[in-house]
Amino acid sequence: MILNTGLLPISTGVACISYGSNAYPNIASFYEHSAIINPCQNNVWNQNQVTRSYGYMQQIRAKTETDTASIATLIRYTDTATVPFLAHAITIDTHLPFRKGENNKLGLSEKTPKILSNYINGFAYTDSILGIFLDKFKQDSVLQNSIILITGDHTILNNENLTSLRNYAKENELEFDGQNYVPLIIYSPDFKKSTFIDEVTYQMDIFPTILPLINEEDYFFKGFGVNLLDSAARHSRYYSENTAYTISEKIIRNDYISQINGSDDD
């Protein structure tokens, strides 16, 4: 929801289930062709409803609940979609219990805690699957002129797992500061050089960062974060995290977007 609508989760309950039929600000409505690639084989997150509520034209089910199937489906969609298009592919294997980590392909030490071994190997697996898509990206002129965004929906390790990972990193002389992070990688053909932002940012910053990249900075809703490419904005936030959550909750519970979309004074 944060990525697609710029809104934040409600404090209790699940917005996509309790308020799935709401009207939402969204990025998908800017495109005539758009799809969510979903590897989940049932409607766990009310995806049949929110696909439409988030502005997508269709939901495409991957054949199996694996990252391999999800990325393969994404590639097939990009091969046939009419430009311009938006595709949102969901990965699943890096979620607990890290099902793809069992093979231990990295040859980790037997002393490595089981959950940690599965975690590291699981992410190595997903990295390799994303690599298949990025290899195609390098050869596809359409994709080379597209914006590619890779991110995660939430952190995953509890304090016990973090302690195990911290100890493992120390024993193996690896850099790790012991904290949970969500990855955010953005590619745009407009970027002339690589930039690494080494400061506190939020998932709510993704929506306002995307809007100017797709020439929609005048959209009526900018989200509650800031454009991460604007250094001045990063250091002068208008909304605190707590304020953003409070206002977002009121918008969702009152279906406020429906009200303003139906107003003559919109």
Side-chain angles (χ1 to χ4, degrees), residues 5-72:
T5 74
L7 295 170
L8 278 65
I10 55 179
S11 57
T12 57
V14 182
C16 66
I17 294 176
S18 300
Y19 303 95
S21 60
N22 279 17
Y24 288 96
N26 63 81
I27 290 177
S29 60
F30 300 141
Y31 298 85
E32 292 186 14
H33 305 276
S34 57
I36 288 182
I37 315 298
N38 184 9
C40 298
Q41 300 304 301
N42 51 46
N43 198 25
V44 176
W45 297 113
N46 194 22
Q47 201 68 53
N48 292 338
Q49 175 65 59
V50 296
T51 292
R52 297 187 295 274
S53 297
Y54 291 175
Y56 286 87
M57 298 297 294
Q58 61 178 319
Q59 177 186 190
I60 303 174
R61 300 279 187 176
K63 290 184 177 181
T64 59
E65 294 188 1
T66 64
D67 291 355
T68 299
S70 185
I71 297 304

Side-chain angles (χ1 to χ4, degrees), residues 106-121:
L106 295 181
L108 301 176
S109 168
E110 294 181 357
K111 297 180 180 179
T112 306
K114 182 66 173 178
I115 187 69
L116 180 56
S117 175
N118 286 353
Y119 170 81
I120 294 173
N121 280 282

Side-chain angles (χ1 to χ4, degrees), residues 25 105 109 121 136 161 206 229 241:
K105 292 183 178 180
S109 168
N121 280 282
K136 174 179 172 54
N161 295 148
I206 299 175
L229 302 177
E241 186 176 15

Side-chain angles (χ1 to χ4, degrees), residues 106-159:
L106 295 181
L108 301 176
S109 168
E110 294 181 357
K111 297 180 180 179
T112 306
K114 182 66 173 178
I115 187 69
L116 180 56
S117 175
N118 286 353
Y119 170 81
I120 294 173
N121 280 282
F123 272 85
Y125 156 76
T126 295
D127 279 350
S128 68
I129 300 303
L130 287 174
I132 294 173
F133 173 74
L134 294 176
D135 284 342
K136 174 179 172 54
F137 159 81
K138 296 175 184 177
Q139 304 169 16
D140 190 316
S141 60
V142 171
L143 292 178
Q144 288 175 10
N145 287 286
S146 300
I147 294 166
I148 309 294
L149 187 147
I150 301 171
T151 190
D153 59 347
H154 56 75
T155 56
I156 199 71
L157 296 176
N158 59 27
N159 289 333

